Amino acid sequence: MAYTVRKLDDYAPAALDAAVHDLLSAVGQEAGSVAGENDWKLFRDRWMARKNGILTQVNDLWLKAAPGPAKREVGARVNQLKTEVERAVDAAQQRISSSGSKSRLDSERLDITLPGIRRPLGAEHPVLRTMSEIVQVFRAMGYSVADGPEIETDYLNFEALNFPPNHPARDTQDTIFVAGQERKPQRDRLLLRTHTSPVQIRAMMATPPPIRVVVPGKVHRADTADATHSPIFHQVEGLAVDTNITFCDLKGTLDHAMKAFFGSNVKTRFFPSFFPFTEPSADVSVTCFKCGGKGCRLCKMSGWIELLGCGMVDPNVFQFVKSNGYDSRKISGFAFGMGVERIAMLKYGIDDIQLFYQGDVRFLEQFN
Ligand code: PHE
């Protein structure tokens, strides 16, 4: 039977003690059967609610109703009851919340013997991979590797490469200029390098002949992006200067490099071309590595694929680095430059250059 507060009719200390004892054993029992949060709230309100909680009733029925002389005795006991009931309510709360965290621990138990989750490993991007494969072919022939800044001066990108100011050859390189440089002399104006060729000049300024370098790097042109163009792309440049370097050396070097890169059965073909900084200049084609030269879609039925530009270093270029020992009466050299994306596309059969820049893992993971 649930505990209810009854009026007192005997105020003798022994009778008061008995009433207190009944109440305390009732609260102790009820506290013991509190099982969860909701239970506990009901329990707390039943005993402690201001309005009609058991303590309030005790106050009304025992203390307020007590005759004057008994009030002291009753008051002391009511205060004691208050403390005891509060303690029982607190203790019940403690008990259910600690059993709550135990069940949380149980449900969140971790099996540390399970195998972990593997993070997928990244891989080298196909463009960088192609670039380092090209560089490796030349390193094996004794070339060293150089690089230069992507923000370059007009002087190194054009003038020292024998593109005179306002020469129409500059128009073939759709240049992105750094804004706000109109007050500088033209040669000092900054631009995003349109090719890796300025590093030819940088390398010759840093090292007297003989020199053999390859220059992998990023270049920029104001091209609209489409399946074969990107405003940012990559080139590998090469330069060899020594005594008695001839066009034969150029042909032999590039023929070897193409065979090393695409396979020993490709053939190379040199076609007259023009670059301001090489004379004579040539474009190099290789036999189509898909059809072997018979003609297919990849080579547009010609059997040949155009891959790079090259030529003998123009004596006018040596003029700009003469003070470092480049005397065109004593030395000669050749240079070449190739687009890395184009070579990677041909090698892997990729038909859209934009795929290289979109970061789609489904595309990239094919090259792992
Ligand atoms: N720099 C030239 C280009 O970007 C390529 C090239 C390099 C040609 C070296 C000849 C010699 O088109």
Side-chain angles (χ1 to χ4, degrees):
M1 250 275 283
Y3 178 82
T4 49
V5 189
R6 267 167 294 126
K7 281 182 90 148
L8 299 175
D9 33 38
D10 185 352
Y11 292 96
L16 291 179
D17 286 343
V20 166
H21 177 264
D22 283 354
L23 186 146
L24 287 182
S25 67
V27 80
Q29 220 171 18
E30 288 184 30
S33 58
V34 167
E37 186 71 16
N38 281 341
D39 255 13
W40 175 78
K41 279 187 182 150
L42 290 171
F43 169 63
R44 179 197 59 191
D45 294 346
R46 169 165 152 77
W47 290 85
M48 296 186 27
R50 289 251 173 92
K51 226 170 124 185
N52 230 25
I54 288 177
L55 285 179
T56 305
Q57 293 177 40
V58 165
N59 209 48
D60 292 346
L61 294 178
W62 294 5
L63 186 58
K64 283 189 186 159
K71 276 213 198 293
R72 239 179 78 93
E73 284 283 323
V74 177
R77 284 173 171 77
V78 169
N79 279 339
Q80 179 204 346
L81 284 177
K82 231 185 189 157
T83 316
E84 294 286 338
V85 167
E86 274 166 13
R87 187 177 300 160
V89 169
D90 286 349
Q93 185 181 37
Q94 283 273 316
R95 184 168 54 74
I96 59 167
S97 73
S98 66
S99 74
S101 68
K102 183 174 177 304
S103 72
R104 233 181 101 186
L105 273 181
D106 283 343
S107 73
E108 292 176 10
R109 170 154 288 140
L110 191 66
D111 182 352
I112 58 166
T113 65
L114 285 173
I117 299 167
R118 271 182 207 283
R119 275 165 166 276
L121 261 191
E124 202 173 21
H125 191 280
V127 169
L128 289 186
R129 178 160 159 180
T130 304
M131 193 152 80
S132 41
E133 282 171 13
I134 297 167
V135 165
Q136 190 46 44
V137 167
F138 289 97
R139 281 174 61 105
M141 288 191 272
Y143 283 66
S144 51
V145 182
D147 64 5
E150 284 172 45
I151 299 176
E152 193 50 283
T153 58
D154 186 283
Y155 175 75
L156 289 170
N157 195 82
F158 289 127
E159 203 177 322
L161 288 165
N162 199 31
F163 290 80
N166 305 315
H167 192 280
R170 291 180 175 222
D171 291 352
T172 63
Q173 310 222 350
D174 305 284
T175 311
I176 299 171
F177 291 91
V178 174
Q181 315 238 341
E182 297 73 12
R183 302 229 306 280
K184 287 188 187 169
Q186 180 165 17
R187 51 173 284 150
D188 295 338
R189 290 183 199 163
L190 298 174
L191 46 80
L192 301 186
R193 68 178 179 192
T194 56
H195 49 180
T196 42
S197 302
V199 189
Q200 289 186 32
I201 309 296
R202 289 179 173 275
M204 288 191 283
M205 290 192 312
T207 313
I211 188 174
R212 283 169 180 75
V213 279
V214 273
V215 182
K218 195 181 281 176
V219 302
H220 304 251
R221 292 193 192 174
D223 277 334
T224 306
D226 64 21
T228 52
H229 293 85
S230 162
I232 303 175
F233 61 103
H234 298 78
Q235 290 187 331
V236 175
E237 186 89 9
L239 173 72
V241 182
D242 206 336
T243 48
N244 299 316
I245 299 258
T246 67
F247 201 90
C248 276
D249 299 309
L250 170 59
K251 285 189 79 171
T253 301
L254 290 179
D255 186 70
H256 167 79
M258 293 303 114
K259 286 183 162 72
F261 192 74
F262 289 109
S264 56
N265 44 10
V266 301
K267 294 191 179 75
T268 51
R269 184 170 76 166
F270 289 69
F271 237 75
S273 184
F274 173 79
F275 300 100
F277 41 96
T278 47
E279 183 61 33
S281 303
D283 284 329
V284 182
S285 299
V286 298
T287 42
C288 179
F289 28 81
K290 195 163 181 193
C291 64
K294 288 203 248 348
C296 68
R297 250 180 48 143
L298 184 67
C299 59
K300 301 195 183 94
M301 304 314 290
S302 73
W304 294 93
I305 291 177
E306 204 180 297
L307 273 190
L308 58 103
C310 64
M312 302 306 291
V313 178
D314 193 305
N316 287 348
V317 172
F318 286 138
Q319 280 297 315
F320 290 94
V321 287
K322 205 162 118 195
S323 60
N324 204 20
Y326 290 87
D327 179 346
S328 60
R329 288 166 306 179
K330 296 190 182 132
I331 45 104
S332 56
F334 62 76
F336 55 86
M338 55 193 105
V340 178
E341 278 84 346
R342 177 166 161 77
I343 290 178
M345 288 169 78
L346 292 165
K347 180 160 177 169
Y348 295 114
I350 297 162
D351 57 9
D352 184 355
I353 196 173
Q354 301 305 324
L355 288 165
F356 287 131
Y357 314 116
Q358 288 162 348
D360 186 332
V361 177
R362 292 166 302 179
F363 169 74
L364 294 172
E365 70 188 358
Q366 300 175 81
F367 304 92
N368 281 355

